[in-house]
Amino acid sequence: GVRAFALGRSAFRYLERLASHDAAFRQLADLRLGVFARILPLAPAGLGGTSRGDLLSRLVRDVDDLQDFPLRVVQPLATAGTLAIMSVVGVWLVLPAAGLTLALSLLAAGLLATLASSVLSARSERQLAPLRGTLAGEVLEVAENLDVLTAFGALDARLATLAAADDRLRRASLRRSLGVGVQGAVLSLFAGLATVGALWVAIPALSGPAGISGPGFAVVVLVPTAVFEVFGMIPLALGVWRQVRSSAARVASAVPTTVPAEIPAESSNEFATEPADATATTVSARPVLELTDLGARWPGSSAPAVSGISLRLAPGDRVHLAGPSGAGKTTLAQALARFLDYTGSYRL
């Protein structure tokens, strides 16, 4: 049995990793496409509360974190929990007192390790995803506006803000590492105590009236060390679960379930005039777009960003939008783009 388990461990571990990661990656592909499909109709107006860097972090890193739920939460909890129960039962069948000692050691180690992790690193684990998004937003802001920040002498201040965001993320990562380290120390301590307890109850049983055999003695003493190696995944899984919940909340908040009233929710091809031949270059002389007293406002805003816009465009026409910053040029352009997107008038 020892030889079979020793040789089979690496092979079965490889097969388990291969199967579980293949399933998680296939699920991740569907999840990322689903999130992107839900974001697409809302961009950019419906995502005004999220910076582009933070949105990128949610779409990439936070969605990646969601694959940890089956891999590093559900599977370890199921595997380690089942193995712990079977080990306690097996040791109890050999020597009931040793089985009770192992059960008490596992219970105490699980409770104390989870408590230590919750006290030291629970807050950091929940903060990691938001802090990564903040840092990504700051990096993108500096990279996109480097010339403007340099021209106006604001680069140093912006870099200081970026350094502060990086420092907050670094401190949160260190606090999480501290919790993981203390958690590992607690588990190692109780693994040793479980072995000592097994020796304490097994040595007298060797010469007792209902004594155990030498191989039985070896099983009772060595099983605690082996089972604690796997049992240590349970407190780690609870910490990963906190991170997954934080990332899931960020993904959900970036992709609202309801579309703001200001964003068209459904397409309408009422105004579309697709040509019979996609390669045709002849266009109709009649106007393809006419707006009368157009107004638009951003989601969540009570005042219109632009209003009173009247426009008539025929094929080939060009319009020059001019005005000071904040006048509504970008808003009008995005409103027109949104109109063309949802009516199918892509050839304008």
Side-chain angles (χ1 to χ4, degrees), residues 107-172:
L107 182 61
L111 291 176
L112 289 179
T114 302
L115 179 62
S117 175
S118 299
V119 171
L120 295 175
S121 59
R123 182 180 178 185
S124 299
E125 288 164 345
R126 288 189 291 265
Q127 289 179 337
L128 282 176
L131 289 175
R132 284 198 304 259
T134 301
L135 179 61
E138 293 292 341
V139 170
L140 183 62
E141 190 73 19
V142 172
E144 286 189 331
N145 301 288
L146 184 61
D147 52 347
V148 177
L149 294 172
T150 303
F152 285 90
L155 181 59
D156 291 339
R158 200 67 186 184
L159 289 177
T161 303
L162 175 61
D166 179 72
D167 185 61
R168 289 192 297 270
L169 178 58
R170 178 183 59 81
R171 291 200 304 269

Side-chain angles (χ1 to χ4, degrees), residues 9 14 25 34 37 51 68 99 121 126 129 135 165 191 221 278 282 286 325:
R9 178 179 180 179
Y14 172 77
F25 289 149
S51 68
D68 288 340
S121 59
R126 288 189 291 265
L135 179 61
V221 174
T282 304
R286 66 180 179 85
S325 178

Side-chain angles (χ1 to χ4, degrees), residues 61-74:
R61 184 62 183 270
D62 289 333
V63 172
D64 277 348
D65 284 347
L66 299 185
Q67 70 178 317
D68 288 340
F69 182 71
L71 285 179
R72 300 177 60 193
V73 178
V74 176

Side-chain angles (χ1 to χ4, degrees), residues 2 8 10 26 28 58 61 66 73 76 84 87 120 127-128 165 175 186 191 193 203 244 315 326-327 337 341:
V2 171
S10 58
R26 283 189 281 107
L28 181 63
R58 299 186 192 205
R61 184 62 183 270
L66 299 185
V73 178
S87 298
L120 295 175
Q127 289 179 337
L128 282 176
R175 287 194 299 269
V186 171
L193 292 177
I203 289 176
V244 170
D341 183 19

Side-chain angles (χ1 to χ4, degrees), residues 101-114 116 182-198 223-225 227-229 231:
T101 302
L102 177 58
L104 292 176
S105 299
L106 289 171
L107 182 61
L111 291 176
L112 289 179
T114 302
V182 172
Q183 176 180 288
V186 171
L187 291 172
S188 297
L189 172 64
F190 275 90
L193 292 177
T195 302
V196 172
V223 162
T225 302
V227 72
F228 263 92
E229 180 183 351
F231 182 77

Side-chain angles (χ1 to χ4, degrees), residues 239-298:
V240 174
W241 178 66
R242 287 189 287 264
Q243 296 181 59
V244 170
R245 286 190 62 188
S246 176
S247 296
R250 282 170 46 80
V251 173
S253 63
V255 190
T257 56
T258 57
V259 179
E262 296 83 1
I263 303 297
E266 296 181 356
S267 299
S268 173
N269 292 323
E270 178 183 354
F271 303 100
T273 55
E274 294 293 337
D277 184 1
T279 61
T281 57
T282 304
V283 295
S284 173
R286 66 180 179 85
V288 295
L289 176 62
E290 185 170 359
L291 306 176
T292 303
D293 199 21
L294 170 70
R297 60 187 176 93
W298 291 98

